[in-house]
Amino acid sequence: MMAAGKSLRVLIGTVGGQGGGVLSDWLVHGLINAGWDAVSIGLLGISQRGGTVTYYCEAAPDRSRRRTHSMFAMPGDVNLLIGQELLELGRLMGGGYASSDCVIVGNTARTYATLEKMPAEEGIFDSKQIFTAAHDLAPDRHYLCNAQAVVVEQGLSALSSNAFLLGAAVAAAVEGVDDAPFVEAIKASEINVKANIAAFQLGYRLVKEGRFPAQSGPEAARPDASRRAARLSAAEAATVERLLAQRRDSAELAQFVRPAVENLIDYMDEAHAAHYLELLDRLAGLPGVDIATLKAFARHGALWLAYEDIPRVAQLKTRPERYLQVLREHGIKPRHGVEVTDFLVPDAEQIVGMLPPWMGRIVAGVGGMLMRDFDKRSFPLRLGSTTVSGYWSLRTLAAFRGMRRRSSRYAHEMDLFKRWYDAIGAAHARSPVLGCLVAEAGRVVKGYGRVRDQALDDLWGFLDEGVLILERIQRGGGDVGAVGRAALKILASESGTRVRCLAALQKAEAEMGDVPPMLHAA
């Protein structure tokens, strides 16, 4: 804890949309209420939602002396770090801002940063490194916990987690000031006053009493098997058991097959799940096929067959458990009720895709006559999913799930899916390693709209050109598995990397034969 009379230099790391400005205002006005001289500045990030935002505050306990405050933090000079988002706290520690007596207060709940969400695959930073850094920098002065979970357990809104962090920070790092000036600052802000005061006092009290629920490392990922199974009706659950009863999948493969079957039945129907199992069994019957190929198809094939469309979005938004989750996240008792407004922005392609081909052609034709840019238009909707009209509008859209098999989007997706599936068998006939790489290539097909189109273009480039290069590398005695996995890593990093992936393969081939690599035309 800081000594009484010592100046305070605070650096707050957050992302856009978390309320860092509100927390900073509470801190500064609370210190001013306590008679301190305090100023702060905010450095905005790259986007309103998800971009890095940093706030810096300097304060001194004697307001009678005029002093010049810095507007920027200096490395090694900050004595209180507050992280509303764990990775942003890690950035501040990595920047070397913490002083030798720094107190570290942080929220461990992740709101993934823009750069973590950009890769098509796993781009999430290893949180364990941040916990280790906090412990090393401030062995007895770091307070990390899942602030949202703590306040929600107390019946408060998850949004009041900022006030909880502030309470913990004040108790841990500001000597000679009690909670009253900050309570007054929260009152003056007129923002969810009752809940925020309760959350502030909770954080303040837990630190003062030595009962802060400190977290020593990342929380283990919670399996969602029970939640997924709970979505199924009794008849659907019985169908899952019937489809799986006669199967003899290894435990290694079954961990993918069961959730896939549950999801595909929930997504459409029994026939859709049975078709998936039939394709998997046909693949398993190929001579010399290995478990890696089957696992790759079991995982990526199931995801492709459950592509996201308007009926699926509407189905998920009208689930009873979704409404209950909203209540839990905001600490609202079910008896109080809450209004939920959903914002949907379907484009013309998505709307036409959910219709039968003949109807889609009519809609596209009429739309083209009425709007010159109909095929590029989107149609924003605001639906109150807790109102009768809004709920039944969404349920009507969800009912198109029953027509999905007759929709133009389904026919198109199944043609694309078959092209990939057939390529797995063809590549396997030439080499089991190539077959496995083609099955693994299905992981690049993600997203929707332009991103999905680019991802598909990446996939076809790999299947039509990349596999031929890999085959030549294999004939030349190269490690085709390692080269292929490296190429797929490039392809899966983000959509639109087809040229870079093929260039890497050409370079690997050229290095084998000592031939200059060809430039691949876009």
Side-chain angles (χ1 to χ4, degrees):
M1 183 173 290
M2 289 172 46
K6 187 175 179 181
S7 63
L8 183 67
R9 295 172 301 283
V10 186
L11 197 55
I12 302 171
T14 181
V15 296
Q18 285 193 306
V22 174
L23 190 155
S24 175
D25 286 345
W26 286 339
L27 174 63
V28 171
H29 286 99
L31 291 169
I32 292 173
N33 290 343
W36 287 46
D37 179 24
V39 296
S40 69
I41 186 172
L43 305 175
L44 302 183
I46 61 174
S47 66
Q48 182 182 8
R49 301 291 175 185
T52 297
V53 184
T54 305
Y55 297 90
Y56 179 61
C57 170
E58 277 199 4
D62 183 4
R63 192 187 296 173
S64 63
R65 281 183 51 205
R66 294 186 61 84
R67 55 179 57 81
T68 301
H69 293 287
S70 172
M71 290 291 98
F72 302 97
M74 296 297 293
D77 191 50
V78 173
N79 45 32
L80 173 57
L81 288 180
I82 301 177
Q84 289 177 278
E85 208 291 322
L86 189 62
L87 182 56
E88 298 310 317
L89 178 63
R91 291 189 206 280
L92 302 185
M93 291 189 291
Y97 290 103
S99 65
S100 59
D101 62 346
C102 186
V103 173
I104 298 173
V105 177
N107 181 16
T108 63
R110 294 302 320 276
T111 301
Y112 298 119
T114 302
L115 291 177
E116 290 182 287
K117 294 184 284 189
M118 283 172 60
E121 291 204 316
E122 181 68 79
I124 299 172
F125 186 80
D126 180 9
S127 300
K128 188 183 299 182
Q129 297 181 40
I130 302 174
F131 283 91
T132 301
H135 182 272
D136 292 344
L137 285 170
D140 302 315
R141 303 181 309 279
H142 64 280
Y143 302 84
L144 306 182
C145 76
N146 187 326
Q148 277 93 328
V150 173
V151 295
V152 167
E153 285 174 4
Q154 298 298 316
L156 300 171
S157 166
L159 299 176
S160 66
S161 58
N162 291 343
F164 173 85
L165 292 174
L166 179 62
V170 170
V174 185
E175 179 68 21
V177 179
D178 61 19
D179 61 339
F182 299 93
V183 170
E184 288 304 314
I186 294 172
K187 286 181 180 177
S189 71
E190 299 182 348
I191 299 173
N192 198 14
V193 172
K194 185 177 179 181
N196 282 323
I197 289 177
F200 172 86
Q201 291 177 328
L202 175 65
Y204 186 89
R205 187 173 63 252
L206 289 175
V207 171
K208 286 292 188 182
E209 296 174 357
R211 298 188 296 111
F212 188 85
Q215 190 177 324
S216 59
E219 294 177 336
R222 298 177 182 177
D224 63 351
S226 59
R227 183 178 61 184
R228 184 178 55 247
R231 294 174 177 174
L232 303 176
S233 66
E236 289 172 331
T239 300
V240 171
E241 299 307 323
R242 186 173 68 254
L243 288 174
L244 298 178
Q246 302 304 316
R247 300 189 62 80
R248 295 294 180 266
D249 298 318
S250 66
E252 198 174 357
L253 184 59
Q255 65 176 321
F256 297 103
V257 174
R258 173 173 283 276
V261 170
E262 290 174 346
N263 192 52
L264 291 173
I265 287 177
D266 178 58
Y267 177 78
M268 195 150 71
D269 55 24
E270 177 182 354
H272 197 51
H275 178 58
Y276 162 79
L277 293 175
E278 178 188 344
L279 293 174
L280 178 61
D281 290 342
R282 195 185 306 168
L283 202 60
L286 296 178
V289 70
D290 60 14
I291 187 66
T293 303
L294 298 179
K295 284 167 57 179
F297 174 78
R299 180 183 179 187
H300 306 310
L303 291 173
W304 194 331
L305 290 171
Y307 61 88
E308 192 168 275
D309 57 6
I310 292 176
R312 181 59 166 174
V313 171
Q315 180 189 19
L316 296 176
K317 285 185 177 293
T318 52
R319 290 193 188 279
E321 63 266 26
R322 184 205 175 214
Y323 179 74
L324 294 175
Q325 181 181 356
V326 171
L327 297 183
R328 282 196 303 271
E329 288 179 351
H330 294 277
I332 301 171
K333 301 297 183 184
R335 64 178 180 274
H336 293 155
V338 66
E339 292 184 8
V340 178
T341 301
D342 283 297
F343 296 81
L344 309 172
V345 191
D347 58 29
E349 184 179 5
Q350 291 172 313
I351 294 171
V352 170
M354 64 187 282
L355 304 172
W358 65 270
M359 189 182 297
R361 288 192 292 270
I362 294 174
V363 171
V366 173
M369 289 188 291
L370 297 176
M371 306 176 199
R372 187 175 302 175
D373 59 344
F374 175 75
D375 58 332
K376 298 181 176 64
R377 292 288 293 270
S378 58
F379 303 89
L381 299 173
R382 292 181 58 174
L383 296 174
S385 52
T386 50
T387 66
V388 173
S389 60
Y391 175 81
W392 283 109
S393 295
L394 286 170
R395 290 306 303 162
T396 300
L397 292 173
F400 277 82
R401 165 195 180 201
M403 297 173 54
R404 186 181 282 126
R405 189 172 279 105
R406 298 189 294 276
S407 70
S408 56
R409 171 74 186 277
Y410 180 85
H412 178 63
E413 287 289 342
M414 292 307 101
D415 286 343
L416 299 176
F417 181 86
K418 185 176 185 300
R419 180 178 173 184
W420 170 60
Y421 182 80
D422 290 346
I424 298 174
H428 177 80
R430 302 199 294 275
S431 162
V433 177
L434 289 177
C436 184
L437 289 171
V438 172
E440 191 60 47
R443 76 198 214 213
V444 309
V445 183
K446 294 175 181 167
Y448 56 91
R450 181 181 62 84
V451 173
R452 188 178 182 86
D453 290 341
Q454 286 182 332
L456 286 166
D457 183 59
D458 292 340
L459 176 63
W460 309 141
F462 181 80
L463 298 188
D464 297 340
E465 301 176 62
V467 171
L468 295 177
I469 299 173
L470 287 169
E471 193 172 8
R472 293 197 295 269
I473 290 174
Q474 187 174 45
R475 286 201 300 267
D479 187 348
V480 67
V483 173
R485 286 191 294 272
L488 286 177
K489 188 174 181 178
I490 295 172
L491 209 61
S493 62
E494 58 182 307
S495 61
T497 52
R498 167 177 169 267
V499 173
R500 191 150 57 91
C501 170
L502 294 176
L505 289 173
Q506 290 165 350
K507 181 180 179 182
E509 181 184 16
E511 288 174 348
M512 286 185 56
D514 224 14
V515 179
M518 297 182 297
L519 292 176
H520 189 273

